[in-house]
Amino acid sequence: MTNQDGIITYINDRVVDISQYATDELIGQHVDVFNSSFHPQSFFQEMWSTIRSGKTWRGEVKSQKKNGDLYWLDKSITPFLTASGQPFQYISTATDISTQVGAVTRLEQNRKFLHSIVDALGDGVYVLDLQGQLLSLNKEGELMLGWQESELLHVNFHNAVHHTRYDGTPFKTVDCTIHQSLLGRAFRKEEDYFIRKDGSFLQISLVTSPLMDGQDIIGSVAVFRDNSQREKQLSELENTCSAALESSRLKSEFLANMSHEIRTPMSAIVGMNDLLMDTSLTDEQYGFSQIVKESSISLLALINDILDFSKIEAGKIDIEEIDFSPVTVVEGTAELMAGLAYEKELSLVTYIAPNIPNMLKGDPGRLRQMLLNLINNALKFTEDGEVVVKTTIKSETDDTVTICFAVSDTGIGLSPKGQEHLFDPFTQAAQWCYEIWWDRAWVWRLVNA
């Protein structure tokens, strides 16, 4: 209780308990003793203006204890009036609401914290009530749609941003994906359109889910993303991929053409050198010619391999389908390589399963090429032991048969790590490994042509 000037004339024990002041410390003091400096001066001016006019004032006041701690009061101040209607004292009743205010404050802080997280997302987020009216729209959503959250609050979201399809036809609410979650179903759509504030269309992908309170649906929350840049990036990626494929095709065609151009004069060199060797030559001249012959034949074989490899990459390899004997091809190929095996004192063994058919339809020339490459590769990197060419049936039907041609050797081989990269060009650490890659990659490409 105070007089008309705000000087305290009476306090009860509850005030002492809350404020931590003794009674004699407060009697005779101005009520400003409780001022926490939290409220602006205008707050108290309004309060004094109200009670001096003879009216009761109510409000929440943040006050200060003797030790400096702060607390909240739900306060009511009633004036006592003279016969002429002038206030001569005031009585104040108050309830300590510090706990409730603290809970509300923490709730508000948590709300702001969560809102800041949602605002920091790179995607748009909105929340709808059960009637489809907007309750929340984050900053990214505002940027994408051109609307401020305050402009769309409690507005039907479908009617604001989703009322028309991209082709201009009306979009009924019953068909709207936005409202699927309001029916209790989570929903995802990879391509949809929202309408910006300026009337333009925004291409989006959308995920929406119902908001539940126990078993009850109370609304929905959705995340949407601007897909216009993604579509542009996909288009650019497709163009880049097409350009790379075209570049590879042109490279293969160029290589095939160049190999033809080189092979023609190389064949002439081999032929002319053979004629030269049939003439009268000294031993030294004949030796030089022999070197030219061997080098030319090796180079011509390499050119042929490059030509075939480039044809495979360009998709121009020709595969014949004629009758041939697999036994003849395997044995004949082994005979061609027998000389190299003899020079290195290696055993070259062939095994042909007895159930191999005598005649097949296929391309014996390409088969011979593959076997030559694999056998040559095995002999090249085997210093002791043997090379085995094994032919077996892998599978058979009434009109087709799949035959496995396997070449094994006792050479240096490859480590498990090296085997993983056997068909990956430009990853080998040594020249011999590169040569293995070339021979086997050539065969692999031909088999898969």
Side-chain angles (χ1 to χ4, degrees):
M1 185 178 294
T2 70
N3 63 17
Q4 70 271 27
D5 298 319
I7 302 300
I8 299 173
T9 59
Y10 171 80
I11 59 170
N12 65 3
D13 293 339
R14 182 57 179 156
V15 175
V16 173
D17 293 340
I18 295 174
S19 69
Q20 298 179 354
Y21 284 101
T23 301
D24 57 359
E25 291 179 302
L26 293 176
I27 299 297
Q29 295 290 329
H30 194 277
V31 290
D32 284 346
V33 70
F34 302 116
N35 193 339
S36 65
S37 301
F38 175 80
H39 302 283
Q41 189 63 32
S42 58
F43 177 85
F44 294 105
Q45 289 175 348
E46 188 273 332
M47 180 191 73
W48 281 107
S49 175
T50 299
I51 59 179
R52 282 171 178 164
S53 67
K55 299 176 183 177
T56 299
W57 178 90
R58 293 181 178 86
E60 294 179 356
V61 182
K62 191 173 188 179
S63 301
Q64 182 173 279
K65 297 180 181 180
K66 182 179 179 180
N67 65 359
D69 290 345
L70 303 176
Y71 61 101
W72 280 90
L73 296 174
D74 182 8
K75 182 178 286 192
S76 176
I77 304 175
T78 302
F80 282 81
L81 307 178
T82 64
S84 61
Q86 296 298 314
F88 66 93
Q89 65 179 10
Y90 305 101
I91 184 169
S92 173
T93 57
T95 302
D96 187 352
I97 59 170
S98 301
T99 302
Q100 296 92 313
V101 171
V104 172
T105 301
R106 287 191 295 273
L107 184 63
E108 179 63 18
Q109 289 173 342
N110 289 338
R111 189 195 69 81
K112 289 182 178 179
F113 176 69
L114 291 175
H115 208 278
S116 66
I117 293 176
V118 173
D119 280 342
L121 295 177
D123 296 328
V125 180
Y126 65 80
V127 179
L128 305 181
D129 64 15
L130 198 54
Q131 286 71 46
Q133 296 178 344
L134 185 75
L135 297 178
S136 177
L137 177 66
N138 73 340
K139 295 295 184 184
E140 188 66 22
E142 290 181 335
L143 289 174
M144 283 192 281
L145 296 175
W147 292 94
Q148 296 296 311
E149 180 187 59
S150 58
E151 296 177 292
L152 294 177
L153 278 179
H154 309 299
V155 172
N156 186 282
F157 200 62
H158 171 80
N159 293 340
V161 304
H162 205 223
H163 51 79
T164 304
R165 291 186 173 88
Y166 188 68
D167 60 7
T169 58
F171 203 166
K172 296 180 180 179
T173 303
V174 68
D175 300 324
C176 176
T177 54
I178 289 177
H179 287 269
Q180 294 297 316
S181 55
L182 296 177
L183 301 176
R185 298 190 295 266
F187 189 83
R188 174 187 294 271
K189 193 168 186 180
E190 294 300 329
E191 184 176 340
D192 204 343
Y193 292 89
F194 280 167
I195 302 170
R196 296 186 180 95
K197 185 178 181 179
D198 62 7
S200 61
F201 282 92
L202 171 68
Q203 185 179 16
I204 61 160
S205 58
L206 176 76
V207 179
T208 178
S209 298
L211 281 178
M212 308 294 294
D213 182 9
Q215 298 298 317
D216 298 325
I217 301 173
I218 60 173
S220 68
V221 60
V223 178
F224 62 98
R225 177 173 297 176
D226 185 348
N227 268 6
S228 55
Q229 290 299 317
R230 176 174 172 269
E231 291 297 318
K232 182 180 178 181
Q233 291 170 354
L234 286 176
S235 177
E236 291 176 351
L237 184 61
E238 289 176 357
N239 292 336
T240 302
C241 182
S242 298
L245 291 174
E246 179 64 12
S247 175
S248 177
R249 185 188 66 81
L250 292 175
K251 177 207 69 175
S252 298
E253 288 186 357
F254 173 77
L255 189 58
N257 292 333
M258 286 302 297
S259 297
H260 271 300
E261 297 297 328
I262 296 173
R263 187 165 60 174
T264 300
M266 280 305 305
S267 298
I269 291 172
V270 172
M272 291 300 101
N273 189 70
D274 287 342
L275 293 176
L276 179 63
M277 294 178 68
D278 290 337
T279 63
S280 299
L281 299 173
T282 65
D283 290 343
E284 184 179 24
Q285 290 172 332
Y286 189 85
F288 291 157
S289 297
Q290 186 65 30
I291 293 173
V292 172
K293 178 179 180 179
E294 292 175 356
S295 300
S296 299
I297 291 174
S298 296
L299 182 57
L300 189 58
L302 179 60
I303 292 171
N304 286 335
D305 283 347
I306 293 174
L307 178 60
D308 286 336
F309 195 79
S310 61
K311 278 185 175 180
I312 294 171
E313 282 198 325
K316 294 184 176 180
I317 192 72
D318 296 322
I319 303 295
E320 290 185 307
E321 189 173 326
I322 61 175
D323 294 329
F324 75 97
S325 168
V327 176
T328 301
V329 172
V330 173
E331 295 291 354
T333 304
E335 288 179 5
L336 289 174
M337 304 303 297
L340 179 58
Y342 178 78
E343 290 177 4
K344 299 190 70 174
E345 298 182 353
L346 299 172
S347 297
L348 177 57
V349 181
T350 60
Y351 168 78
I352 301 175
N355 59 342
I356 296 291
N358 291 327
M359 296 298 294
L360 296 172
K361 278 189 178 294
D363 192 332
R366 296 301 178 189
L367 175 59
R368 187 178 294 107
Q369 278 183 298
M370 290 187 287
L371 290 173
L372 281 171
N373 272 277
L374 293 175
I375 296 172
N376 178 69
N377 183 280
L379 292 171
K380 186 185 302 182
F381 297 103
T382 302
E383 299 301 327
D384 184 47
E386 64 181 10
V387 174
V388 179
V389 182
K390 190 174 183 180
T391 307
T392 56
I393 290 181
K394 186 176 181 181
S395 62
E396 186 175 6
T397 64
D398 292 338
D399 55 356
T400 63
V401 60
T402 301
I403 298 179
C404 176
F405 298 91
V407 178
S408 60
D409 59 65
T410 56
I412 55 178
L414 283 174
S415 66
K417 185 176 181 181
Q419 293 174 24
E420 293 177 3
H421 302 284
L422 181 58
F423 296 106
D424 297 339
F426 312 119
T427 60
Q428 287 70 26
Q431 177 63 26
W432 64 267
C433 199
Y434 176 77
E435 292 177 15
I436 290 176
W437 171 81
W438 170 258
D439 289 332
R440 296 188 183 179
W442 187 94
V443 172
W444 183 79
R445 289 290 187 118
L446 185 58
V447 168
N448 290 277

